[in-house]
């Protein structure tokens, strides 16, 4: 199969041009064609010589891949499925919300992290996505021109695939790439401290950390990562990092029935987040097969939010979207995998 150009950064495109004996500026021209215009073949790169187009098409493909399946929720949320180079299913969610339109991209197929509440974790790890496969989830959905925000909250732990995630962020935000503001992009992590520091140094995108409980023992049960990179260590790095005026750190908190919504959770959250300018997003847990965890009542979540706000922690509730189409991370691809087997 010819190598895809989509997903290469400017240095790589320049190196390819040089290797093919093309003028130095050809790399920049190619990046503009693949990231800023809508073309379906090399023949449409009209400011390149005929020879350049022929050389490129003899060795490379453009590399865009259409989704293979889509399901639409009654609330307008769509779940797209792509097949990666390995033939495994990649899930991408499109979430329209008044003036915002967000795409939620995956960074891996499956995941190694084994969080108790997550269907993707239950699939096990099947592979990292390349920068091109991450970017393609943005560029190849029909709504891509309408998108206002990108979140790395789909399948996988983005910081466990740091190199390709950073490369995709470079292409999203560079003037020669999609030229998007990093303030429109949020990368979510369960808190892999060394990779998180590298991400903070090498990108301007917002950071979201999956917290889920402030207590060590409880977090260990929910998220095995706590044994290696304890939340306390993650928070101490966050506390000393200068986020500037516009960069945001937020915390994701899935609320489980009778597990992590007590008064002691409120007090401990308030204690450990002291001195960090942040926001907590509460997410209602939606049951998945094979876990004892249950979903709380709406009233409990509202109450928890009010108590956190009363403690001075800005807290919001993330609306549940697309429940009728299995929109929670990992559910649709698992269903698809089961049907395939
Ligand atoms: S919640 Fe995220 S990090 Fe944890 S298993 Fe699922 S995909 Fe992996």
């Amino acid at each position: 199969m010819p190598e895809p150009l989509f997903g290469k950064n400017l240095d790589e495109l320049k190196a390819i041009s040089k290797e093919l004996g093309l003028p130095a500026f050809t790399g920049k021209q190619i990046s503009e064609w693949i990231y800023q215009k809508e073309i379906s073949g090399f023949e449409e790169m009209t400011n390149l010589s005929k020879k350049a187009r022929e050389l490129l098409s003899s060795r490379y493909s453009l590399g865009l891949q259409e989704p293979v399946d889509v399901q639409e929720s009654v609330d307008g949320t769509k779940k797209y499925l792509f097949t990666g180079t390995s033939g495994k299913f990649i899930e991408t969610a499109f979430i329209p919300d008044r003036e915002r339109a967000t795409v939620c991209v995956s960074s891996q197929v499956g995941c190694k992290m084994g969080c108790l509440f997550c269907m993707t974790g239950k699939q096990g790890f099947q592979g990292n996505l390349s920068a091109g496969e991450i970017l393609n989830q943005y560029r190849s959905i029909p709504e891509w021109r309408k998108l206002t925000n990108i979140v790395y909250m789909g399948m996988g732990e983005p910081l466990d695939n740091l190199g390709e995630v950073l490369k995709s962020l470079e292409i999203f935000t560079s003037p020669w790439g999609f030229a998007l503001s990093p303030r429109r992009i949020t990368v979510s992590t369960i808190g892999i401290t060394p990779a998180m520091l590298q991400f903070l140094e090498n990108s301007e995108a917002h950071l979201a950390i999956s917290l889920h409980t402030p207590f060590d023992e409880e977090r260990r049960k929910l998220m095995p990562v706590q044994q290696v990179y304890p939340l306390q260590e993650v928070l101490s790095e966050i506390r000393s990092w200068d986020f500037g005026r516009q960069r945001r750190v937020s915390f994701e908190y899935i609320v489980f029935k009778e597990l992590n919504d007590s008064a002691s959770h409120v007090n401990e959250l308030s204690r450990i987040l002291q001195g960090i300018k942040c926001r907590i997003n509460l997410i209602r847990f939606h049951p998945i097969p094979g876990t004892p965890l249950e979903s709380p009542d709406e009233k409990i979540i509202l109450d928890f939010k009010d108590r956190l706000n009363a403690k001075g922690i800005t807290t919001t509730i993330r609306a549940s979207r697309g429940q009728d189409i299995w929109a929670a991370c990992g559910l649709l691809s698992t269903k698809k995998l089961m049907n395939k087997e």
Side-chain angles (χ1 to χ4, degrees), residues 6 64-65 67 80-82 90-94 103-108 129-144 147 150-152 154-155 172:
F6 191 78
L64 287 173
Q65 277 209 316
Y80 288 99
L81 273 187
F82 292 92
I90 303 167
E91 293 187 19
T92 306
F94 166 70
V103 65
C104 174
V105 298
S106 295
S107 54
Q108 297 181 314
L129 296 186
S130 66
E133 288 171 321
I134 297 170
L135 294 157
N136 184 62
Q137 298 169 63
Y138 163 86
R139 173 59 184 80
S140 289
I141 61 169
E143 299 84 1
W144 80 281
L147 292 169
I150 300 166
V151 295
Y152 286 64
M155 301 168 78
F172 271 138

Side-chain angles (χ1 to χ4, degrees), residues 111-115 117-118 120-121 154-157 190 329:
C111 185
K112 296 174 201 160
M113 301 298 153
C115 301
F117 47 84
C118 173
T120 302
M155 301 168 78
E157 161 55 48
I190 55 172
C329 157

Side-chain angles (χ1 to χ4, degrees), residues 179-286:
L180 302 172
S181 164
R183 308 300 178 209
R184 298 272 178 188
I185 305 176
T186 302
V187 174
S188 174
T189 178
I190 55 172
I192 300 178
T193 321
M196 182 183 79
L197 291 174
Q198 285 188 54
F199 160 75
L200 288 171
E201 265 165 38
N202 292 292
S203 166
E204 287 294 310
H206 298 309
L207 176 68
I209 296 169
S210 302
L211 203 161
H212 307 328
T213 174
F215 295 115
D216 183 65
E217 204 42 49
E218 218 165 65
R219 200 166 185 268
R220 278 170 190 248
K221 286 185 192 143
L222 288 172
M223 306 165 76
V225 72
Q226 174 73 8
Q227 290 167 42
V228 189
Y229 300 114
L231 181 65
Q232 293 66 18
E233 186 184 303
V234 173
L235 294 181
S236 113
E237 295 294 351
I238 294 294
R239 199 169 275 108
S240 57
W241 190 267
D242 178 9
F243 279 82
R245 275 158 46 87
Q246 292 192 323
R247 195 174 194 188
R248 257 194 340 252
V249 60
S250 56
F251 294 94
E252 309 288 304
Y253 198 100
I254 302 178
V255 187
F256 305 98
K257 186 177 179 182
E258 292 168 9
L259 194 143
N260 58 351
D261 58 1
S262 70
S264 60
H265 288 90
V266 173
N267 291 337
E268 187 63 2
L269 281 169
S270 148
R271 191 185 71 77
I272 64 171
L273 296 181
Q274 211 153 44
I276 301 177
K277 198 169 147 265
C278 64
R279 148 190 311 264
I280 294 185
N281 290 316
L282 299 180
I283 305 158
R284 181 204 186 105
F285 175 66
H286 290 278

